[in-house]
Amino acid sequence: MENKKQILSMQLNVDDFAPASDSEKESLSVMRESVSFWKDGLRRLRKNPIAMVSLAVLIIVLILAFIVPAFYPYDYATQIRGSENLGPMQYSEAEQAAMAAGEKVFPHILGTDSLGRDYAVRVMMGTRVSLSVGLLASVLVLLIGSVYGSVAGFLGGKVDLFMMRIVDIIYTVPDLLIIILLASTLKYPLQSLAEKPGFGWINIIGVPLISILIVFALLYWVGMARIVRSQVLTLKESEYVTAARALGAGTGRIIKKHILTNCIGTLIVTTTLQIPSAIFTESFLSFIGLGVQAPMPSLGSLANAARGGIVDETALAAALERGVIRGAAIDNFESEIPSPGNPLLRLSPEARRRVLFSPHLAGVTRAAFARLIRQAIGNLENSLRGLPPQFSVNGLSSIRPSA
């Protein structure tokens, strides 16, 4: 006799406990294997052609900056006599004679500067310096900002209020002023420390660059701290954080294993945005003379050295003659030695009275610096008296413009 289930009965159906068939097992099978966060990110990266092209360009830049200079035939600080101011792929007379004798001479791919130093290796070394500063500063900002912001956000209350007020105070500190003050304050202590064994790298890096890194560690982490704090305030109310607390996990373990792990996407994006900001800051300071120490190049110091190449002497001379420009102060860079055909040498006496030619004061000795100051004062006095000023050529001699 067939047993029928009563409608209001709590009796279970035996068929519900029968073994699953093959078709039912296939419907419940996982469509793909589970992957970790990093594997999923790499998979998405490989599917993005623009990101792969950008990655290839970045790898090429890193190879040129960190590997190629070790095998390059020229050094960034070596001055080659007779090879000053060469254009791209040009050779000096001595190099041409060596090539005629059967010797192999590596070309100057980007030319040379006014001191005979190869531009290509200096650009690669400058890129290395700027990238190193950007990466190191970003790591410092990541470590300090993530720890500070996560502690403030997780503890909350008066601790969060006190720590965030410190962040607000640091936001008001002018970073450039601190860099200048630190460079002046740390100059002599670091120079005495560099004389001790094992600290010779201080002379290579230079006191200004060390000051830049210190300022990044002291001031530039506040933005990262605020972003991490906002993420932690949201994540600390999650269920897995409550479960970790119920299991007896400590504050440090919860922050490290559960909260910061789930903030990894925000941390990566913020850190990558910090790298170009750090590179720009270092390049700007090197451009105004507060960056790396000569002869070590930087992208900012290279841009400063090339600044004089964009001056159009013909247009400047014409503007001075017509009175469009009432006066000018011209800085004679080492790469701007006036040639006999320079239009600035053919200015009329009236136009010359309104022009002050000042010497280039970078990279000279103390005695030469004093001589250049005297020449600059003499030029100023000549201009005030209506006499033709002088051109200063590398701080060694003067050429008086023809009347």
Side-chain angles (χ1 to χ4, degrees):
M1 182 178 179
E2 182 179 356
N3 295 328
K4 294 184 178 179
K5 180 181 177 180
Q6 301 296 326
I7 298 176
L8 299 178
S9 174
M10 299 297 295
Q11 181 181 356
L12 299 176
N13 189 358
V14 181
D15 296 335
D16 294 338
F17 298 90
S21 60
D22 295 337
S23 60
E24 291 174 340
K25 291 179 180 179
E26 291 179 359
S27 64
L28 296 176
S29 62
V30 180
M31 299 303 296
R32 67 170 186 175
E33 61 178 356
S34 61
V35 295
S36 63
F37 175 82
W38 295 107
K39 284 186 177 180
D40 185 59
L42 290 175
R43 180 180 297 174
R44 292 172 180 265
L45 180 65
R46 287 195 295 266
K47 292 182 179 179
N48 191 335
I50 299 178
M52 293 303 297
V53 172
S54 303
L55 180 61
V57 172
L58 180 60
I59 292 175
I60 293 173
V61 171
L62 292 176
I63 292 174
L64 291 175
F66 291 94
I67 298 178
V68 174
F71 306 97
Y72 204 76
Y74 300 111
D75 185 67
Y76 71 92
T78 303
Q79 302 179 14
I80 305 174
R81 297 275 184 171
S83 299
E84 295 84 1
N85 297 319
L86 293 179
M89 303 301 293
Q90 288 185 355
Y91 299 93
S92 64
E93 295 180 359
E95 292 171 342
Q96 292 176 2
M99 294 172 61
E103 298 181 13
K104 292 184 178 181
V105 179
F106 194 81
H108 301 284
I109 300 176
L110 298 180
T112 58
D113 61 4
S114 60
L115 299 178
R117 297 174 296 191
D118 187 83
Y119 258 131
V121 69
R122 288 183 64 79
V123 170
M124 289 187 285
M125 290 299 299
T127 305
R128 175 193 292 186
V129 171
S130 297
L131 285 177
S132 299
V133 172
L135 293 174
L136 183 57
S138 299
V139 171
L140 292 175
V141 169
L142 173 63
L143 294 177
I144 300 174
S146 59
V147 172
Y148 193 94
S150 59
V151 171
F154 189 80
L155 296 181
K158 293 183 179 180
V159 176
D160 179 29
L161 181 64
F162 177 75
M163 295 178 72
M164 286 299 103
R165 296 296 76 75
I166 295 177
V167 170
D168 294 337
I169 293 173
I170 294 176
Y171 256 119
T172 63
V173 177
D175 49 356
L176 293 180
L177 178 61
I178 297 299
I179 291 174
I180 296 173
L181 293 177
L182 282 178
S184 302
T185 306
L186 299 176
K187 180 178 180 180
Y188 296 105
L190 289 178
Q191 285 179 351
S192 60
L193 182 62
E195 297 176 357
K196 297 181 180 180
F199 292 94
W201 54 270
I202 295 179
N203 291 327
I204 300 176
I205 297 177
V207 177
L209 187 56
I210 296 177
S211 303
I212 293 173
L213 295 176
I214 293 175
V215 169
F216 270 105
L218 292 177
L219 304 180
Y220 278 70
W221 52 267
V222 289
M224 173 73 76
R226 282 189 166 184
I227 294 175
V228 173
R229 172 182 173 271
S230 64
Q231 293 291 315
V232 171
L233 289 175
T234 303
L235 294 175
K236 73 175 185 179
E237 305 297 335
S238 302
E239 295 179 354
Y240 55 83
V241 175
T242 305
R245 283 175 175 171
L247 293 174
T251 301
R253 180 177 177 82
I254 293 175
I255 293 176
K256 180 181 177 182
K257 296 291 185 180
H258 299 284
I259 294 181
L260 287 182
T261 305
N262 288 277
C263 293
I264 192 68
T266 304
L267 293 177
I268 291 174
V269 172
T270 308
T271 304
T272 53
L273 293 177
Q274 186 63 44
I275 294 176
S277 175
I279 292 175
F280 174 79
T281 302
E282 185 277 328
S283 300
F284 167 71
L285 292 172
S286 296
F287 183 84
I288 62 176
L290 298 177
V292 296
Q293 187 172 338
M296 178 69 71
S298 170
L299 295 181
S301 61
L302 291 173
N304 188 17
R307 184 165 58 108
I310 62 176
V311 177
D312 189 351
E313 290 87 358
T314 304
L316 179 59
L320 288 168
E321 290 288 359
R322 294 196 303 268
V324 177
I325 300 178
R326 298 182 61 86
I330 301 174
D331 184 13
N332 300 322
F333 284 83
E334 293 169 341
S335 60
E336 292 178 345
I337 301 175
S339 60
N342 195 312
L344 293 175
L345 292 173
R346 301 192 300 270
L347 289 174
S348 63
E350 260 189 55
R352 282 202 299 269
R353 292 192 187 97
R354 293 183 274 112
V355 181
L356 172 63
F357 298 98
S358 61
H360 181 51
L361 304 180
V364 297
T365 62
R366 186 172 299 177
F369 181 82
R371 184 170 66 252
L372 293 175
I373 291 297
R374 290 194 297 269
Q375 290 179 358
I377 295 175
N379 288 342
L380 180 59
E381 292 176 349
N382 290 341
S383 298
L384 294 176
R385 294 172 183 172
L387 300 176
Q390 295 177 341
F391 276 102
S392 175
V393 181
N394 288 343
L396 300 177
S397 61
S398 297
I399 301 176
R400 185 177 297 276
S402 57

